Amino acid sequence: MTAPTRRERLRTAAVSEIKDGARRLLVTGGPQAISLRAIARDMGMTAPAIYRYFPSLEALIVELAGDLLDELCEQLEAARDTAGDEPLDQLVTAARAFRCWSVRHPVEFGLVFGSVVPGIDAFPDNCANDEDPGARLGHVFLAPLVELWRRNPYPVPLAGQVDSRLTDSLAPLREKHPELPVEVACLMLSGWTMLYGLVSMEVYAQLRWAVTDPEALFEAELAAFLQQLHTSTGTTPGTAATPGTESGIGTEPGIGSTPATGTEAGIGSTPGVGGGQARTASGQPN
Amino acid sequence: MTAPTRRERLRTAAVSEIKDGARRLLVTGGPQAISLRAIARDMGMTAPAIYRYFPSLEALIVELAGDLLDELCEQLEAARDTAGDEPLDQLVTAARAFRCWSVRHPVEFGLVFGSVVPGIDAFPDNCANDEDPGARLGHVFLAPLVELWRRNPYPVPLAGQVDSRLTDSLAPLREKHPELPVEVACLMLSGWTMLYGLVSMEVYAQLRWAVTDPEALFEAELAAFLQQLHTSTGTTPGTAATPGTESGIGTEPGIGSTPATGTEAGIGSTPGVGGGQARTASGQPN
DNA sequence: TGCGATAGTAAACAGCGTTCACTCATTTGA
DNA sequence: TCAAATGAGTGAACGCTGTTTACTATCGCA
């Protein structure tokens, strides 16, 4: 791989300038507000010029969504890597980082995870490639769970209750991790479902009929999930650092820190889950 | 309330014809495909005429989304009412009906629950009004849970583990049901989170990296949830009839029946969850 | 019979994605 | 070194969109 030519440098600069403009429009006005003409206008160009870089508006949006998913994955991986060697800590930290990114970037979350649907797959999502965005996101949570199991096979809930139909259905996941028992795979999926469902509802403001402080609910559900993988070693997770500083647009350093003041435990002994800090009122970050 | 005049009849007929056209466009081409001009064209009218009925395209879409949510609620309530008097049966039936409607109507699901986000609330969602769509949907699941608890206060999981912050946060939910213990409210929310998360991911095809048959996972998670509200009476839920016939557009009678052949149990004794019937392959219904 | 409310139209404006023909600068190769 | 080829950008145009305005015809009621 030789050094990029001048033309190539200009080209990649233009591409990223286009994407930056698209994201700016996305954040300020929603997905509908992304328009080639507006992007070009902001760049001092005309709209057809963008067709030198992207074959269509939709292709640009799909690529932007892929970038956002990459950004999310990087943040999660970075957060997980600050959590030390305990897989349980890594899990908690990554989960909190997922919520933080999503709450801070609701529109981006909507673009990446939200409704696309006509008949399309924005992400073909085949787990063949390990760097595939979907698989990569799953890996952030799956890897600590696998490691946790490897170090200390805890008593599995649902042991012997997983029927053959579900076992067969889990083939894509288990091909990647043949050493993982079906029950642990189920646990992983139920945890991810909880995380995704809770964060989705918080981001889309669909929890207000029931709850004023979604973070409290999040912490409670997280603790309840961790209780299921109670290892015999009495480690107390939750003492992670702030889940990674922002690198993208719109950095507000206020929200992201861990909810508890320091060494709160989420698992067994301490009944309280989140410390009484900084309510952060679920409102959209401006 | 006197009989509607001829003008009023014509007006409501036009309104519903507009909405039908909008929904047809939604289903065939996604939310982006809904256009006033296309609707008017299908009706043999010109686009500005629609402004006699809706102040803007967005208002029409919001109202359509509200209607879809109403349709969903009606289906769930109808399904629940076919399930007899056992609240556990009602719960299972309503949950399956929710999944069925969503999988059969993925685009509608996306419009109702999916990304809106710029800065907007499609549904103001205040729980003040009991006929509010959000509260109504929650009620379908909440009512059986409350009734279940009223009849037989089962040993609550997480008893004494709900901290004050979460308790405070649950105020909106508990104002409606002051008799409900906090732990049961938490259980309700965790069940709804699981249901919503699982169905969302299935509808948006975000489970393919892990699972080939989302219904199997759904049934397993449903069974695991029911296990948490294990009453001392040994009733076996899951023997519900088909979750309500379609009344809207696009009725395909194939998918909707309960996954098991008849008296499969979800709770304690029988390990198998879903009977081995009709795989229904998770693909979008055409 | 006549009047007011209602429903609909045609024309126009501004904006959109996309295509086409064209120009200009840069790079490449003989 | 010079010509050819490539790449980037423009302007005009097409057909689509939501929305507004002015205008007309019709319907229902007094």
Side-chain angles (χ1 to χ4, degrees):
Chain A
M1 193 58 100
T2 169
T5 70
R6 173 184 144 80
R7 268 228 169 112
E8 287 168 340
R9 272 186 291 115
L10 288 178
R11 186 175 177 84
T12 60
V15 165
S16 63
E17 189 179 352
I18 292 171
K19 286 181 185 173
D20 287 350
R23 179 163 183 180
R24 208 175 307 123
L25 290 167
L26 171 72
V27 171
T28 57
Q32 302 258 17
I34 307 178
S35 90
L36 293 183
R37 289 193 132 105
I39 297 170
R41 216 178 298 129
D42 291 350
M43 296 174 66
M45 287 197 333
T46 61
I50 299 186
Y51 284 84
R52 298 283 169 193
Y53 304 94
F54 295 94
S56 71
L57 172 66
E58 189 185 336
L60 166 60
I61 293 179
V62 168
E63 193 158 326
L64 176 61
D67 287 356
L68 291 172
L69 185 49
D70 280 341
E71 175 188 314
L72 170 62
C73 286
E74 277 160 25
Q75 297 239 344
L76 294 203
E77 288 164 1
R80 182 198 56 189
D81 293 343
T82 68
D85 276 345
E86 275 300 323
L88 222 54
D89 287 338
Q90 294 175 0
L91 217 53
V92 174
T93 310
R96 284 185 183 139
F98 178 72
R99 177 179 167 273
C100 279
W101 188 90
S102 306
V103 171
R104 274 200 228 159
H105 306 286
V107 199
E108 290 93 328
F109 180 90
L111 187 64
V112 173
F113 294 100
S115 156
V116 223
V117 237
I120 319 170
D121 309 310
F123 307 117
D125 213 21
N126 48 356
C127 52
N129 187 358
D130 219 6
E131 284 308 309
D132 197 48
R136 185 178 169 195
L137 182 58
H139 196 74
V140 177
F141 298 101
L142 191 50
L145 264 173
V146 171
E147 175 64 14
L148 188 67
W149 172 263
R150 197 192 60 77
R151 290 196 193 177
N152 188 2
Y154 44 89
V156 175
L158 305 173
Q161 292 190 29
V162 180
D163 70 337
S164 69
R165 185 183 173 197
L166 181 53
T167 304
D168 293 348
S169 175
L170 286 169
L173 184 55
R174 299 185 69 213
E175 278 172 16
K176 284 276 153 199
H177 299 272
E179 78 281 9
L180 204 64
V182 204
E183 291 85 0
V184 182
C186 283
L187 217 56
M188 149 77 195
L189 277 179
S190 108
W192 168 245
T193 300
M194 188 65 82
L195 186 59
Y196 174 82
L198 218 44
V199 169
S200 281
M201 292 195 289
E202 178 176 355
V203 167
Y204 300 153
Q206 287 165 0
L207 278 175
R208 283 177 314 206
W209 65 278
V211 147
T212 60
D213 178 9
E215 187 176 8
L217 183 60
F218 173 84
E219 289 295 329
E221 294 292 348
L222 184 56
F225 174 72
L226 295 181
Q227 218 162 15
Q228 288 184 276
L229 9 125
H230 210 349
T231 76
S232 43
T233 73
T235 50
T236 54
T239 63
T242 67
T245 52
E246 279 292 330
S247 68
I249 304 173
T251 305
E252 315 96 349
I255 296 184
S257 55
T258 51
T261 51
T263 59
E264 118 278 8
I267 272 220
S269 51
T270 328
V273 166
Q277 196 189 8
R279 276 296 167 96
T280 68
S282 99
Q284 289 96 340
N286 42 353
Chain B
M1 191 60 99
T2 168
T5 70
R6 174 183 143 79
R7 268 230 168 112
E8 285 169 340
R9 271 187 292 115
L10 287 178
R11 186 174 179 83
T12 59
V15 164
S16 63
E17 189 180 352
I18 292 172
K19 285 182 185 172
D20 287 350
R23 180 163 182 179
R24 207 175 309 123
L25 290 168
L26 170 72
V27 171
T28 57
Q32 302 260 19
I34 307 178
S35 90
L36 293 182
R37 288 193 133 105
I39 296 170
R41 218 178 296 129
D42 292 350
M43 295 174 67
M45 288 197 331
T46 60
I50 300 186
Y51 284 85
R52 298 285 169 192
Y53 303 94
F54 296 93
S56 71
L57 171 67
E58 189 186 335
L60 165 59
I61 293 180
V62 168
E63 194 158 323
L64 176 61
D67 287 355
L68 292 172
L69 185 49
D70 280 340
E71 176 188 314
L72 171 61
C73 286
E74 277 159 26
Q75 297 239 343
L76 295 203
E77 288 164 0
R80 182 199 57 189
D81 294 344
T82 68
D85 275 345
E86 274 301 323
L88 223 55
D89 287 337
Q90 295 175 0
L91 217 52
V92 174
T93 309
R96 284 186 183 139
F98 178 71
R99 178 180 166 272
C100 279
W101 187 89
S102 306
V103 171
R104 274 199 229 161
H105 305 286
V107 200
E108 290 93 327
F109 181 90
L111 186 63
V112 174
F113 294 100
S115 157
V116 224
V117 239
I120 319 171
D121 309 309
F123 307 119
D125 211 20
N126 48 358
C127 52
N129 188 357
D130 221 6
E131 284 309 309
D132 198 48
R136 185 178 170 195
L137 182 59
H139 196 73
V140 177
F141 299 100
L142 191 51
L145 264 173
V146 172
E147 177 63 15
L148 188 67
W149 171 263
R150 198 192 60 77
R151 290 195 195 178
N152 188 2
Y154 44 89
V156 175
L158 307 173
Q161 291 189 29
V162 180
D163 70 338
S164 68
R165 185 184 173 197
L166 181 54
T167 305
D168 294 347
S169 176
L170 287 169
L173 185 55
R174 299 185 67 215
E175 278 172 17
K176 285 276 155 203
H177 299 273
E179 77 282 11
L180 203 63
V182 204
E183 290 84 1
V184 182
C186 282
L187 216 56
M188 149 76 194
L189 277 179
S190 107
W192 169 244
T193 300
M194 189 64 82
L195 185 59
Y196 173 80
L198 218 44
V199 169
S200 280
M201 292 195 288
E202 178 176 355
V203 167
Y204 301 152
Q206 287 165 359
L207 278 174
R208 282 177 314 206
W209 66 278
V211 147
T212 59
D213 179 9
E215 187 176 8
L217 183 60
F218 174 84
E219 289 295 328
E221 294 291 350
L222 184 57
F225 174 72
L226 295 180
Q227 218 162 16
Q228 288 183 277
L229 10 125
H230 210 350
T231 75
S232 43
T233 74
T235 50
T236 53
T239 63
T242 67
T245 52
E246 279 291 331
S247 68
I249 303 173
T251 306
E252 315 95 350
I255 295 182
S257 55
T258 51
T261 50
T263 59
E264 116 280 10
I267 271 218
S269 52
T270 327
V273 165
Q277 195 189 11
R279 276 296 167 97
T280 68
S282 100
Q284 288 96 339
N286 42 353

Short mmCIF file of all heavy atoms in Angstrom, two decimals, chain A residues 63-88:
data_model
loop_
_atom_site.label_atom_id
_atom_site.label_comp_id
_atom_site.label_asym_id
_atom_site.label_seq_id
_atom_site.Cartn_x
_atom_site.Cartn_y
_atom_site.Cartn_z
N GLU A 63 -24.37 4.60 3.87
CA GLU A 63 -22.96 4.64 4.29
C GLU A 63 -22.81 5.43 5.58
O GLU A 63 -22.03 5.05 6.46
CB GLU A 63 -22.10 5.23 3.18
CG GLU A 63 -20.62 5.00 3.42
CD GLU A 63 -19.81 5.09 2.14
OE1 GLU A 63 -20.34 4.70 1.08
OE2 GLU A 63 -18.66 5.56 2.21
N LEU A 64 -23.57 6.51 5.70
CA LEU A 64 -23.54 7.27 6.95
C LEU A 64 -23.98 6.40 8.12
O LEU A 64 -23.35 6.41 9.19
CB LEU A 64 -24.44 8.50 6.82
CG LEU A 64 -24.59 9.37 8.06
CD1 LEU A 64 -23.26 9.93 8.52
CD2 LEU A 64 -25.60 10.49 7.83
N ALA A 65 -25.03 5.65 7.91
CA ALA A 65 -25.50 4.77 8.98
C ALA A 65 -24.42 3.77 9.36
O ALA A 65 -24.21 3.48 10.54
CB ALA A 65 -26.78 4.06 8.55
N GLY A 66 -23.74 3.24 8.36
CA GLY A 66 -22.65 2.32 8.66
C GLY A 66 -21.55 2.98 9.47
O GLY A 66 -21.03 2.40 10.44
N ASP A 67 -21.21 4.20 9.12
CA ASP A 67 -20.21 4.93 9.89
C ASP A 67 -20.65 5.14 11.32
O ASP A 67 -19.85 5.02 12.26
CB ASP A 67 -19.93 6.29 9.23
CG ASP A 67 -19.14 6.15 7.94
OD1 ASP A 67 -18.75 5.01 7.62
OD2 ASP A 67 -18.92 7.17 7.26
N LEU A 68 -21.93 5.46 11.49
CA LEU A 68 -22.42 5.70 12.84
C LEU A 68 -22.35 4.43 13.67
O LEU A 68 -21.98 4.45 14.85
CB LEU A 68 -23.86 6.23 12.78
CG LEU A 68 -23.99 7.62 12.20
CD1 LEU A 68 -25.45 7.99 11.99
CD2 LEU A 68 -23.31 8.63 13.10
N LEU A 69 -22.69 3.32 13.04
CA LEU A 69 -22.59 2.06 13.76
C LEU A 69 -21.14 1.76 14.13
O LEU A 69 -20.85 1.27 15.23
CB LEU A 69 -23.18 0.94 12.89
CG LEU A 69 -23.27 -0.44 13.52
CD1 LEU A 69 -23.91 -0.38 14.89
CD2 LEU A 69 -24.04 -1.39 12.62
N ASP A 70 -20.23 2.08 13.21
CA ASP A 70 -18.81 1.91 13.52
C ASP A 70 -18.41 2.78 14.71
O ASP A 70 -17.69 2.33 15.60
CB ASP A 70 -17.97 2.26 12.29
CG ASP A 70 -17.92 1.12 11.29
OD1 ASP A 70 -18.21 -0.02 11.67
OD2 ASP A 70 -17.60 1.37 10.12
N GLU A 71 -18.88 4.02 14.65
CA GLU A 71 -18.55 4.93 15.76
C GLU A 71 -19.05 4.37 17.08
O GLU A 71 -18.33 4.35 18.08
CB GLU A 71 -19.17 6.30 15.50
CG GLU A 71 -18.98 7.28 16.64
CD GLU A 71 -19.79 8.56 16.42
OE1 GLU A 71 -19.74 9.10 15.31
OE2 GLU A 71 -20.45 9.02 17.38
N LEU A 72 -20.27 3.88 17.06
CA LEU A 72 -20.83 3.29 18.28
C LEU A 72 -19.99 2.11 18.75
O LEU A 72 -19.64 2.01 19.93
CB LEU A 72 -22.27 2.86 18.02
CG LEU A 72 -22.94 2.02 19.10
CD1 LEU A 72 -23.02 2.79 20.40
CD2 LEU A 72 -24.34 1.59 18.66
N CYS A 73 -19.63 1.25 17.82
CA CYS A 73 -18.83 0.09 18.20
C CYS A 73 -17.50 0.51 18.80
O CYS A 73 -17.05 -0.06 19.81
CB CYS A 73 -18.60 -0.81 16.98
SG CYS A 73 -20.06 -1.73 16.48
N GLU A 74 -16.88 1.50 18.19
CA GLU A 74 -15.59 1.95 18.71
C GLU A 74 -15.73 2.48 20.13
O GLU A 74 -14.89 2.21 20.99
CB GLU A 74 -15.00 3.02 17.80
CG GLU A 74 -14.26 2.44 16.61
CD GLU A 74 -14.12 3.46 15.49
OE1 GLU A 74 -14.13 4.67 15.78
OE2 GLU A 74 -14.00 3.03 14.32
N GLN A 75 -16.78 3.24 20.36
CA GLN A 75 -16.99 3.77 21.71
C GLN A 75 -17.20 2.64 22.71
O GLN A 75 -16.68 2.67 23.81
CB GLN A 75 -18.20 4.69 21.70
CG GLN A 75 -18.02 5.90 20.82
CD GLN A 75 -18.14 7.19 21.59
OE1 GLN A 75 -18.65 7.19 22.71
NE2 GLN A 75 -17.67 8.26 21.00
N LEU A 76 -17.98 1.66 22.29
CA LEU A 76 -18.24 0.55 23.21
C LEU A 76 -16.96 -0.22 23.49
O LEU A 76 -16.67 -0.59 24.64
CB LEU A 76 -19.30 -0.38 22.63
CG LEU A 76 -20.71 0.18 22.45
CD1 LEU A 76 -21.72 -0.94 22.43
CD2 LEU A 76 -21.05 1.18 23.53
N GLU A 77 -16.20 -0.46 22.44
CA GLU A 77 -14.96 -1.21 22.65
C GLU A 77 -13.99 -0.42 23.52
O GLU A 77 -13.32 -0.97 24.40
CB GLU A 77 -14.33 -1.55 21.29
CG GLU A 77 -15.10 -2.63 20.54
CD GLU A 77 -14.73 -2.69 19.07
OE1 GLU A 77 -13.86 -1.90 18.64
OE2 GLU A 77 -15.31 -3.53 18.34
N ALA A 78 -13.92 0.89 23.26
CA ALA A 78 -13.05 1.71 24.08
C ALA A 78 -13.49 1.69 25.54
O ALA A 78 -12.68 1.55 26.46
CB ALA A 78 -13.03 3.15 23.54
N ALA A 79 -14.79 1.82 25.75
CA ALA A 79 -15.29 1.81 27.13
C ALA A 79 -14.99 0.47 27.78
O ALA A 79 -14.52 0.41 28.93
CB ALA A 79 -16.80 2.07 27.12
N ARG A 80 -15.24 -0.59 27.04
CA ARG A 80 -15.00 -1.92 27.60
C ARG A 80 -13.52 -2.08 27.98
O ARG A 80 -13.19 -2.66 29.02
CB ARG A 80 -15.38 -2.98 26.57
CG ARG A 80 -15.21 -4.40 27.03
CD ARG A 80 -15.19 -5.33 25.84
NE ARG A 80 -14.14 -4.95 24.90
CZ ARG A 80 -14.00 -5.48 23.69
NH1 ARG A 80 -14.87 -6.36 23.26
NH2 ARG A 80 -13.01 -5.09 22.90
N ASP A 81 -12.65 -1.51 27.16
CA ASP A 81 -11.23 -1.69 27.43
C ASP A 81 -10.76 -0.87 28.63
O ASP A 81 -9.68 -1.11 29.15
CB ASP A 81 -10.42 -1.30 26.19
CG ASP A 81 -10.67 -2.27 25.04
OD1 ASP A 81 -11.21 -3.37 25.31
OD2 ASP A 81 -10.36 -1.92 23.89
N THR A 82 -11.56 0.11 29.04
CA THR A 82 -11.18 0.84 30.26
C THR A 82 -11.61 0.10 31.51
O THR A 82 -11.30 0.54 32.62
CB THR A 82 -11.85 2.22 30.30
OG1 THR A 82 -13.26 2.05 30.46
CG2 THR A 82 -11.57 3.01 29.04
N ALA A 83 -12.32 -1.00 31.35
CA ALA A 83 -12.97 -1.64 32.50
C ALA A 83 -12.12 -2.73 33.12
O ALA A 83 -12.62 -3.49 33.95
CB ALA A 83 -14.32 -2.19 32.09
N GLY A 84 -10.89 -2.82 32.74
CA GLY A 84 -10.05 -3.82 33.36
C GLY A 84 -10.28 -5.21 32.80
O GLY A 84 -10.83 -5.38 31.72
N ASP A 85 -9.87 -6.19 33.57
CA ASP A 85 -9.87 -7.56 33.07
C ASP A 85 -11.10 -8.35 33.46
O ASP A 85 -11.34 -9.42 32.91
CB ASP A 85 -8.62 -8.30 33.58
CG ASP A 85 -7.43 -8.04 32.68
OD1 ASP A 85 -7.65 -7.53 31.55
OD2 ASP A 85 -6.29 -8.33 33.10
N GLU A 86 -11.86 -7.85 34.40
CA GLU A 86 -13.04 -8.59 34.82
C GLU A 86 -14.12 -8.54 33.76
O GLU A 86 -14.64 -7.46 33.45
CB GLU A 86 -13.57 -8.01 36.13
CG GLU A 86 -12.90 -8.56 37.36
CD GLU A 86 -13.07 -10.08 37.47
OE1 GLU A 86 -14.14 -10.57 37.10
OE2 GLU A 86 -12.10 -10.75 37.90
N PRO A 87 -14.49 -9.66 33.21
CA PRO A 87 -15.53 -9.63 32.17
C PRO A 87 -16.84 -9.03 32.65
O PRO A 87 -17.54 -8.39 31.87
CB PRO A 87 -15.70 -11.10 31.77
CG PRO A 87 -14.81 -11.89 32.65
CD PRO A 87 -13.94 -10.99 33.42
N LEU A 88 -17.14 -9.19 33.90
CA LEU A 88 -18.38 -8.62 34.42
C LEU A 88 -18.33 -7.10 34.38
O LEU A 88 -19.31 -6.44 34.00
CB LEU A 88 -18.61 -9.11 35.86
CG LEU A 88 -20.03 -9.51 36.23
CD1 LEU A 88 -20.57 -10.54 35.27
CD2 LEU A 88 -20.09 -10.02 37.65
#
